[in-house]
Amino acid sequence: MSADSSEATGREFTKTQRPEDARLAVPEWLRRAAGVSELWTFLILVALVVFFTVAAPGKFFTTYDITQIAVNAAIYLVLGVGMTYVIITAGIDLSIGSVLVLAAVAAGEYNIHHGGPTSGWGTVAVCVLIALAVGAGWGALQGAVVATGKVPPLIVTLGGLGAALGLAELVTGGQDPAGAASTRLQDTLGFGKVLGIPWMVVLAAVVTAVFGAVLGCTRFGSRTLAIGSNPAAVRRAGISVGGHLIKVYGLMGLLAGLGAVMWLASYGTTSIAGHSTDNLKVITAVVLGGTSLFGGRGSVLGTVIGVFIPAVLTTGLIVIGVQQYWQDVAVGVVLVAAVYIDQMRRKSRERA
């Protein structure tokens, strides 16, 4: 037998199972399906929809419910896109709710002193820029501390959570200011629709599509995934891991600033005390979507599905009359279950 044929045979046995294991063969399509985390997440979402539809016939999954679920999930989806990038690098950001509040307060204070509810489009544009700049700046600062100070992201962003919220409370005296949003912003982005679809949902979809493409099709996305998988190899390739982390955390902050604009448009106020569990909800959604807390693996598509699981769960529990406090318990349990499954997947890959 020639060397070429021996190599071909070796490759053939690499791709297929040994003859003695043939009876245990699993179809290739089934192995692939089992390894696609987005598929399993989608099946969980479908199961929840079916359960609540059967439990509350005619009351759940109506057109109104679907619209409300999508609108309620829009802000968390925008935050979830940024969190996906952060977690893929094996990082975490606990500060997103507080950064959203700080950005909303900064933009709201400018609006209050430049026309209040009756402010024009020029003021609205400046408010949007302020929110985005505050969010991106805070995120980049946290990224710089993580990258250069070698401080664990958990500690950095936990400190950032308290500091951002504290600054917001100092500025406002702990009270939500009146006139923080222009009626023009609320009437368009907050309550407006295009072709029957709320602008909030359209904006979230655009953000998801853009950054999904960036993650899957650009050098920035591939470097993000590579840093989460093997940062030492990335450094040997001459890529600045620290510089990239600053950009990733800056992106997270930027999207938190955009979330602040969306919140002001929807509710007309900063809701200083209303974002304490945003990090829990967003991290739950991202991990449910298949992004590994250990880094190196994840997708924006999975996050989209993951965001809708807590949204459907919360709405469904309300429809069937479950007390509100149990909703937070359910989301917490889902997060722990998702992390456990992620660990099992990781151990399975290491054994393979």
Side-chain angles (χ1 to χ4, degrees):
M1 181 181 294
S2 66
D4 290 342
S5 61
S6 298
E7 291 176 4
T9 303
R11 286 194 297 269
E12 182 179 350
F13 277 102
T14 299
K15 295 178 181 178
T16 59
Q17 294 180 318
R18 296 188 301 272
E20 61 268 27
D21 294 335
R23 63 183 182 276
L24 301 176
V26 178
E28 180 67 20
W29 67 268
L30 185 57
R31 288 203 304 272
R32 289 180 178 177
V36 178
S37 57
E38 291 88 347
L39 174 62
W40 290 109
T41 308
F42 180 71
L43 292 176
I44 292 172
L45 178 61
V46 171
L48 285 173
V49 171
V50 171
F51 171 78
F52 288 121
T53 301
V54 172
K59 297 181 181 180
F60 182 76
F61 213 58
T62 62
T63 301
Y64 175 79
D65 283 335
I66 295 172
T67 302
Q68 286 304 114
I69 288 172
V71 171
N72 293 338
I75 295 176
Y76 295 115
L77 180 55
V78 169
L79 297 176
V81 170
M83 188 66 77
T84 300
Y85 279 78
V86 171
I87 294 181
I88 283 176
T89 66
I92 199 75
D93 190 347
L94 300 179
S95 69
I96 54 173
S98 295
V99 175
L100 186 154
V101 169
L102 181 61
V105 165
E109 286 294 323
Y110 183 88
N111 190 76
I112 290 169
H113 294 93
H114 292 81
T118 61
S119 59
W121 284 113
T123 298
V124 170
V126 173
C127 288
V128 171
L129 291 176
I130 289 173
L132 295 179
V134 169
W138 194 273
L141 176 62
Q142 293 186 145
V145 175
V146 170
T148 61
K150 307 302 180 183
V151 182
L154 179 70
I155 302 302
V156 172
T157 59
L158 183 61
L161 181 156
L165 184 60
L167 285 175
E169 290 174 333
L170 283 171
V171 171
T172 62
Q175 302 296 319
D176 293 313
S182 169
T183 53
R184 287 178 170 82
L185 179 64
Q186 290 191 276
D187 291 341
T188 51
L189 179 60
F191 308 119
K193 295 183 179 181
V194 54
L195 300 176
I197 303 174
W199 273 111
M200 291 280 287
V201 177
V202 173
L203 178 57
V206 170
V207 170
T208 301
V210 168
F211 288 103
V214 169
L215 182 61
C217 306
T218 69
R219 184 177 299 175
F220 185 86
S222 60
R223 286 181 176 179
T224 301
L225 290 161
I227 287 172
S229 297
N230 194 334
V234 174
R235 289 190 183 93
R236 287 196 295 271
I239 298 171
S240 172
V241 172
H244 193 86
L245 287 176
I246 293 173
K247 294 176 184 177
V248 168
Y249 281 89
L251 172 62
M252 177 70 262
L254 178 72
L255 294 179
L258 180 58
V261 174
M262 296 169 73
W263 187 273
L264 287 171
S266 296
Y267 301 101
T269 182
T270 53
S271 299
I272 293 175
H275 297 275
S276 59
T277 60
D278 282 1
N279 49 14
L280 171 64
K281 293 175 182 176
V282 173
I283 293 171
T284 299
V286 173
V287 175
L288 274 175
T291 300
S292 174
L293 283 172
F294 300 97
R297 180 169 58 87
S299 73
V300 172
L301 173 60
T303 296
V304 173
I305 302 171
V307 164
F308 280 97
I309 289 179
V312 168
L313 183 63
T314 300
T315 302
L317 291 174
I318 291 172
V319 169
I320 64 176
V322 174
Q323 190 179 19
Q324 180 181 358
Y325 303 115
W326 282 107
Q327 298 167 26
D328 293 333
V329 172
V331 172
V333 169
V334 167
L335 174 60
V336 174
V339 173
Y340 177 77
I341 292 172
D342 181 45
Q343 285 183 319
M344 294 301 101
R345 286 173 178 164
R346 181 169 177 261
K347 290 178 181 179
S348 177
R349 289 196 303 273
E350 288 176 350
R351 285 196 298 268

mmCIF file of all heavy atoms in Angstrom, residues 228-266:
data_model
loop_
_atom_site.group_PDB
_atom_site.id
_atom_site.type_symbol
_atom_site.label_atom_id
_atom_site.label_comp_id
_atom_site.label_asym_id
_atom_site.label_seq_id
_atom_site.Cartn_x
_atom_site.Cartn_y
_atom_site.Cartn_z
ATOM 1 N N GLY A 228 -10.829 35.390 23.885
ATOM 2 C CA GLY A 228 -11.519 34.549 24.852
ATOM 3 C C GLY A 228 -11.017 33.124 24.856
ATOM 4 O O GLY A 228 -11.034 32.444 25.892
ATOM 5 N N SER A 229 -10.534 32.645 23.701
ATOM 6 C CA SER A 229 -10.058 31.263 23.602
ATOM 7 C C SER A 229 -8.626 31.119 24.104
ATOM 8 O O SER A 229 -8.319 30.214 24.879
ATOM 9 C CB SER A 229 -10.133 30.784 22.144
ATOM 10 O OG SER A 229 -11.458 30.774 21.689
ATOM 11 N N ASN A 230 -7.739 32.013 23.649
ATOM 12 C CA ASN A 230 -6.325 31.876 23.987
ATOM 13 C C ASN A 230 -5.635 33.235 23.901
ATOM 14 O O ASN A 230 -5.019 33.571 22.880
ATOM 15 C CB ASN A 230 -5.649 30.877 23.033
ATOM 16 C CG ASN A 230 -4.289 30.441 23.526
ATOM 17 O OD1 ASN A 230 -3.626 31.153 24.269
ATOM 18 N ND2 ASN A 230 -3.858 29.259 23.095
ATOM 19 N N PRO A 231 -5.724 34.040 24.957
ATOM 20 C CA PRO A 231 -5.118 35.378 24.902
ATOM 21 C C PRO A 231 -3.600 35.352 24.705
ATOM 22 O O PRO A 231 -3.046 36.255 24.078
ATOM 23 C CB PRO A 231 -5.493 35.990 26.251
ATOM 24 C CG PRO A 231 -5.830 34.830 27.137
ATOM 25 C CD PRO A 231 -6.404 33.797 26.235
ATOM 26 N N ALA A 232 -2.937 34.322 25.216
ATOM 27 C CA ALA A 232 -1.480 34.244 25.057
ATOM 28 C C ALA A 232 -1.103 34.098 23.585
ATOM 29 O O ALA A 232 -0.160 34.741 23.099
ATOM 30 C CB ALA A 232 -0.935 33.064 25.860
ATOM 31 N N ALA A 233 -1.857 33.282 22.855
ATOM 32 C CA ALA A 233 -1.581 33.101 21.423
ATOM 33 C C ALA A 233 -1.841 34.394 20.663
ATOM 34 O O ALA A 233 -1.125 34.723 19.716
ATOM 35 C CB ALA A 233 -2.451 31.975 20.873
ATOM 36 N N VAL A 234 -2.871 35.131 21.076
ATOM 37 C CA VAL A 234 -3.180 36.408 20.425
ATOM 38 C C VAL A 234 -2.033 37.394 20.640
ATOM 39 O O VAL A 234 -1.640 38.125 19.726
ATOM 40 C CB VAL A 234 -4.506 36.989 20.972
ATOM 41 C CG1 VAL A 234 -4.763 38.384 20.406
ATOM 42 C CG2 VAL A 234 -5.669 36.061 20.623
ATOM 43 N N ARG A 235 -1.474 37.416 21.846
ATOM 44 C CA ARG A 235 -0.329 38.305 22.120
ATOM 45 C C ARG A 235 0.871 37.913 21.263
ATOM 46 O O ARG A 235 1.578 38.784 20.732
ATOM 47 C CB ARG A 235 0.044 38.234 23.604
ATOM 48 C CG ARG A 235 -0.963 38.900 24.535
ATOM 49 C CD ARG A 235 -0.409 38.996 25.947
ATOM 50 N NE ARG A 235 -1.392 39.559 26.855
ATOM 51 C CZ ARG A 235 -2.232 38.825 27.577
ATOM 52 N NH1 ARG A 235 -2.184 37.486 27.501
ATOM 53 N NH2 ARG A 235 -3.097 39.402 28.379
ATOM 54 N N ARG A 236 1.106 36.605 21.127
ATOM 55 C CA ARG A 236 2.242 36.150 20.310
ATOM 56 C C ARG A 236 2.061 36.535 18.842
ATOM 57 O O ARG A 236 3.039 36.686 18.113
ATOM 58 C CB ARG A 236 2.409 34.638 20.444
ATOM 59 C CG ARG A 236 2.981 34.201 21.790
ATOM 60 C CD ARG A 236 3.485 32.769 21.742
ATOM 61 N NE ARG A 236 2.397 31.829 21.516
ATOM 62 C CZ ARG A 236 1.672 31.256 22.478
ATOM 63 N NH1 ARG A 236 1.947 31.545 23.760
ATOM 64 N NH2 ARG A 236 0.713 30.405 22.206
ATOM 65 N N ALA A 237 0.805 36.690 18.438
ATOM 66 C CA ALA A 237 0.529 37.101 17.058
ATOM 67 C C ALA A 237 0.700 38.598 16.856
ATOM 68 O O ALA A 237 0.511 39.107 15.751
ATOM 69 C CB ALA A 237 -0.892 36.691 16.671
ATOM 70 N N GLY A 238 1.083 39.313 17.919
ATOM 71 C CA GLY A 238 1.350 40.735 17.812
ATOM 72 C C GLY A 238 0.134 41.621 17.969
ATOM 73 O O GLY A 238 0.169 42.813 17.627
ATOM 74 N N ILE A 239 -0.955 41.078 18.507
ATOM 75 C CA ILE A 239 -2.192 41.840 18.696
ATOM 76 C C ILE A 239 -2.249 42.334 20.139
ATOM 77 O O ILE A 239 -1.957 41.577 21.074
ATOM 78 C CB ILE A 239 -3.423 40.973 18.379
ATOM 79 C CG1 ILE A 239 -3.379 40.534 16.918
ATOM 80 C CG2 ILE A 239 -4.714 41.727 18.671
ATOM 81 C CD1 ILE A 239 -4.432 39.503 16.562
ATOM 82 N N SER A 240 -2.639 43.573 20.312
ATOM 83 C CA SER A 240 -2.741 44.161 21.651
ATOM 84 C C SER A 240 -4.026 43.688 22.326
ATOM 85 O O SER A 240 -5.125 44.160 21.986
ATOM 86 C CB SER A 240 -2.732 45.683 21.574
ATOM 87 O OG SER A 240 -3.002 46.250 22.838
ATOM 88 N N VAL A 241 -3.904 42.747 23.239
ATOM 89 C CA VAL A 241 -5.063 42.232 23.944
ATOM 90 C C VAL A 241 -5.691 43.331 24.802
ATOM 91 O O VAL A 241 -6.910 43.502 24.833
ATOM 92 C CB VAL A 241 -4.680 41.018 24.819
ATOM 93 C CG1 VAL A 241 -5.853 40.595 25.699
ATOM 94 C CG2 VAL A 241 -4.227 39.858 23.946
ATOM 95 N N GLY A 242 -4.851 44.107 25.491
ATOM 96 C CA GLY A 242 -5.358 45.175 26.337
ATOM 97 C C GLY A 242 -6.126 46.224 25.543
ATOM 98 O O GLY A 242 -7.211 46.656 25.946
ATOM 99 N N GLY A 243 -5.577 46.632 24.424
ATOM 100 C CA GLY A 243 -6.253 47.613 23.587
ATOM 101 C C GLY A 243 -7.592 47.107 23.094
ATOM 102 O O GLY A 243 -8.573 47.863 23.027
ATOM 103 N N HIS A 244 -7.651 45.834 22.753
ATOM 104 C CA HIS A 244 -8.912 45.265 22.270
ATOM 105 C C HIS A 244 -9.944 45.191 23.396
ATOM 106 O O HIS A 244 -11.136 45.450 23.171
ATOM 107 C CB HIS A 244 -8.672 43.877 21.685
ATOM 108 C CG HIS A 244 -9.838 43.362 20.908
ATOM 109 N ND1 HIS A 244 -10.032 43.651 19.571
ATOM 110 C CD2 HIS A 244 -10.903 42.594 21.271
ATOM 111 C CE1 HIS A 244 -11.148 43.089 19.148
ATOM 112 N NE2 HIS A 244 -11.693 42.430 20.165
ATOM 113 N N LEU A 245 -9.498 44.840 24.592
ATOM 114 C CA LEU A 245 -10.426 44.779 25.722
ATOM 115 C C LEU A 245 -11.026 46.157 26.022
ATOM 116 O O LEU A 245 -12.211 46.264 26.353
ATOM 117 C CB LEU A 245 -9.713 44.242 26.959
ATOM 118 C CG LEU A 245 -9.386 42.749 26.959
ATOM 119 C CD1 LEU A 245 -8.602 42.371 28.206
ATOM 120 C CD2 LEU A 245 -10.662 41.909 26.863
ATOM 121 N N ILE A 246 -10.225 47.198 25.891
ATOM 122 C CA ILE A 246 -10.751 48.554 26.103
ATOM 123 C C ILE A 246 -11.859 48.840 25.095
ATOM 124 O O ILE A 246 -12.903 49.414 25.433
ATOM 125 C CB ILE A 246 -9.624 49.593 25.987
ATOM 126 C CG1 ILE A 246 -8.636 49.432 27.153
ATOM 127 C CG2 ILE A 246 -10.191 51.015 25.963
ATOM 128 C CD1 ILE A 246 -7.403 50.304 27.028
ATOM 129 N N LYS A 247 -11.659 48.427 23.853
ATOM 130 C CA LYS A 247 -12.681 48.632 22.823
ATOM 131 C C LYS A 247 -13.944 47.834 23.134
ATOM 132 O O LYS A 247 -15.061 48.331 22.951
ATOM 133 C CB LYS A 247 -12.129 48.223 21.456
ATOM 134 C CG LYS A 247 -10.992 49.085 20.955
ATOM 135 C CD LYS A 247 -10.440 48.548 19.646
ATOM 136 C CE LYS A 247 -9.228 49.346 19.175
ATOM 137 N NZ LYS A 247 -8.654 48.750 17.930
ATOM 138 N N VAL A 248 -13.776 46.599 23.597
ATOM 139 C CA VAL A 248 -14.935 45.756 23.892
ATOM 140 C C VAL A 248 -15.756 46.337 25.042
ATOM 141 O O VAL A 248 -16.993 46.433 24.961
ATOM 142 C CB VAL A 248 -14.478 44.317 24.220
ATOM 143 C CG1 VAL A 248 -15.633 43.504 24.803
ATOM 144 C CG2 VAL A 248 -13.956 43.636 22.958
ATOM 145 N N TYR A 249 -15.079 46.737 26.114
ATOM 146 C CA TYR A 249 -15.813 47.328 27.245
ATOM 147 C C TYR A 249 -16.377 48.705 26.874
ATOM 148 O O TYR A 249 -17.436 49.099 27.377
ATOM 149 C CB TYR A 249 -14.910 47.416 28.479
ATOM 150 C CG TYR A 249 -14.766 46.095 29.198
ATOM 151 C CD1 TYR A 249 -13.767 45.191 28.853
ATOM 152 C CD2 TYR A 249 -15.646 45.735 30.214
ATOM 153 C CE1 TYR A 249 -13.635 43.973 29.495
ATOM 154 C CE2 TYR A 249 -15.526 44.518 30.868
ATOM 155 C CZ TYR A 249 -14.520 43.641 30.502
ATOM 156 O OH TYR A 249 -14.405 42.418 31.150
ATOM 157 N N GLY A 250 -15.673 49.420 26.000
ATOM 158 C CA GLY A 250 -16.210 50.675 25.500
ATOM 159 C C GLY A 250 -17.481 50.452 24.688
ATOM 160 O O GLY A 250 -18.436 51.230 24.785
ATOM 161 N N LEU A 251 -17.498 49.376 23.897
ATOM 162 C CA LEU A 251 -18.702 49.027 23.143
ATOM 163 C C LEU A 251 -19.855 48.692 24.075
ATOM 164 O O LEU A 251 -21.000 49.117 23.852
ATOM 165 C CB LEU A 251 -18.401 47.822 22.232
ATOM 166 C CG LEU A 251 -19.605 47.209 21.513
ATOM 167 C CD1 LEU A 251 -20.258 48.222 20.580
ATOM 168 C CD2 LEU A 251 -19.184 45.952 20.744
ATOM 169 N N MET A 252 -19.562 47.966 25.144
ATOM 170 C CA MET A 252 -20.603 47.646 26.121
ATOM 171 C C MET A 252 -21.170 48.933 26.716
ATOM 172 O O MET A 252 -22.389 49.092 26.852
ATOM 173 C CB MET A 252 -20.001 46.764 27.222
ATOM 174 C CG MET A 252 -20.959 46.408 28.359
ATOM 175 S SD MET A 252 -22.284 45.256 27.931
ATOM 176 C CE MET A 252 -23.660 46.363 27.646
ATOM 177 N N GLY A 253 -20.296 49.866 27.070
ATOM 178 C CA GLY A 253 -20.760 51.131 27.617
ATOM 179 C C GLY A 253 -21.557 51.937 26.601
ATOM 180 O O GLY A 253 -22.568 52.570 26.942
ATOM 181 N N LEU A 254 -21.112 51.921 25.344
ATOM 182 C CA LEU A 254 -21.829 52.633 24.286
ATOM 183 C C LEU A 254 -23.261 52.123 24.160
ATOM 184 O O LEU A 254 -24.221 52.906 24.056
ATOM 185 C CB LEU A 254 -21.091 52.459 22.958
ATOM 186 C CG LEU A 254 -21.750 53.103 21.727
ATOM 187 C CD1 LEU A 254 -21.604 54.616 21.792
ATOM 188 C CD2 LEU A 254 -21.131 52.550 20.443
ATOM 189 N N LEU A 255 -23.419 50.806 24.191
ATOM 190 C CA LEU A 255 -24.754 50.229 24.069
ATOM 191 C C LEU A 255 -25.581 50.454 25.334
ATOM 192 O O LEU A 255 -26.808 50.546 25.265
ATOM 193 C CB LEU A 255 -24.645 48.737 23.738
ATOM 194 C CG LEU A 255 -24.041 48.443 22.360
ATOM 195 C CD1 LEU A 255 -23.947 46.939 22.116
ATOM 196 C CD2 LEU A 255 -24.850 49.110 21.255
ATOM 197 N N ALA A 256 -24.920 50.559 26.494
ATOM 198 C CA ALA A 256 -25.650 50.947 27.705
ATOM 199 C C ALA A 256 -26.158 52.380 27.570
ATOM 200 O O ALA A 256 -27.270 52.706 28.011
ATOM 201 C CB ALA A 256 -24.751 50.811 28.933
ATOM 202 N N GLY A 257 -25.347 53.259 26.943
ATOM 203 C CA GLY A 257 -25.794 54.617 26.682
ATOM 204 C C GLY A 257 -26.971 54.646 25.728
ATOM 205 O O GLY A 257 -27.923 55.428 25.913
ATOM 206 N N LEU A 258 -26.941 53.797 24.706
ATOM 207 C CA LEU A 258 -28.077 53.703 23.793
ATOM 208 C C LEU A 258 -29.301 53.180 24.534
ATOM 209 O O LEU A 258 -30.436 53.635 24.288
ATOM 210 C CB LEU A 258 -27.728 52.780 22.621
ATOM 211 C CG LEU A 258 -28.823 52.587 21.569
ATOM 212 C CD1 LEU A 258 -29.253 53.922 20.969
ATOM 213 C CD2 LEU A 258 -28.350 51.630 20.475
ATOM 214 N N GLY A 259 -29.085 52.230 25.443
ATOM 215 C CA GLY A 259 -30.188 51.737 26.264
ATOM 216 C C GLY A 259 -30.794 52.843 27.110
ATOM 217 O O GLY A 259 -32.012 52.883 27.332
ATOM 218 N N ALA A 260 -29.961 53.783 27.564
ATOM 219 C CA ALA A 260 -30.453 54.929 28.339
ATOM 220 C C ALA A 260 -31.373 55.796 27.492
ATOM 221 O O ALA A 260 -32.430 56.258 27.954
ATOM 222 C CB ALA A 260 -29.277 55.749 28.859
ATOM 223 N N VAL A 261 -30.990 56.015 26.239
ATOM 224 C CA VAL A 261 -31.836 56.798 25.322
ATOM 225 C C VAL A 261 -33.173 56.095 25.111
ATOM 226 O O VAL A 261 -34.239 56.724 25.139
ATOM 227 C CB VAL A 261 -31.122 57.008 23.976
ATOM 228 C CG1 VAL A 261 -32.052 57.699 22.976
ATOM 229 C CG2 VAL A 261 -29.842 57.817 24.163
ATOM 230 N N MET A 262 -33.127 54.791 24.926
ATOM 231 C CA MET A 262 -34.349 54.021 24.713
ATOM 232 C C MET A 262 -35.235 54.054 25.956
ATOM 233 O O MET A 262 -36.469 54.128 25.864
ATOM 234 C CB MET A 262 -33.990 52.584 24.335
ATOM 235 C CG MET A 262 -33.235 52.472 23.013
ATOM 236 S SD MET A 262 -32.542 50.827 22.711
ATOM 237 C CE MET A 262 -34.029 49.897 22.317
ATOM 238 N N TRP A 263 -34.608 54.009 27.126
ATOM 239 C CA TRP A 263 -35.377 54.053 28.372
ATOM 240 C C TRP A 263 -36.062 55.410 28.539
ATOM 241 O O TRP A 263 -37.244 55.478 28.889
ATOM 242 C CB TRP A 263 -34.470 53.768 29.562
ATOM 243 C CG TRP A 263 -35.240 53.632 30.846
ATOM 244 C CD1 TRP A 263 -35.602 54.628 31.696
ATOM 245 C CD2 TRP A 263 -35.778 52.416 31.387
ATOM 246 N NE1 TRP A 263 -36.321 54.114 32.756
ATOM 247 C CE2 TRP A 263 -36.446 52.760 32.590
ATOM 248 C CE3 TRP A 263 -35.746 51.087 30.990
ATOM 249 C CZ2 TRP A 263 -37.084 51.814 33.384
ATOM 250 C CZ3 TRP A 263 -36.374 50.144 31.788
ATOM 251 C CH2 TRP A 263 -37.038 50.504 32.970
ATOM 252 N N LEU A 264 -35.327 56.482 28.285
ATOM 253 C CA LEU A 264 -35.913 57.821 28.371
ATOM 254 C C LEU A 264 -37.057 57.969 27.378
ATOM 255 O O LEU A 264 -38.087 58.585 27.686
ATOM 256 C CB LEU A 264 -34.845 58.883 28.099
ATOM 257 C CG LEU A 264 -33.802 59.110 29.193
ATOM 258 C CD1 LEU A 264 -32.695 60.031 28.682
ATOM 259 C CD2 LEU A 264 -34.449 59.689 30.447
ATOM 260 N N ALA A 265 -36.893 57.417 26.192
ATOM 261 C CA ALA A 265 -37.943 57.503 25.179
ATOM 262 C C ALA A 265 -39.188 56.732 25.599
ATOM 263 O O ALA A 265 -40.319 57.158 25.316
ATOM 264 C CB ALA A 265 -37.419 56.964 23.842
ATOM 265 N N SER A 266 -38.996 55.628 26.293
ATOM 266 C CA SER A 266 -40.136 54.789 26.680
ATOM 267 C C SER A 266 -40.847 55.293 27.921
ATOM 268 O O SER A 266 -42.078 55.262 27.998
ATOM 269 C CB SER A 266 -39.670 53.350 26.927
ATOM 270 O OG SER A 266 -39.175 52.773 25.741
#
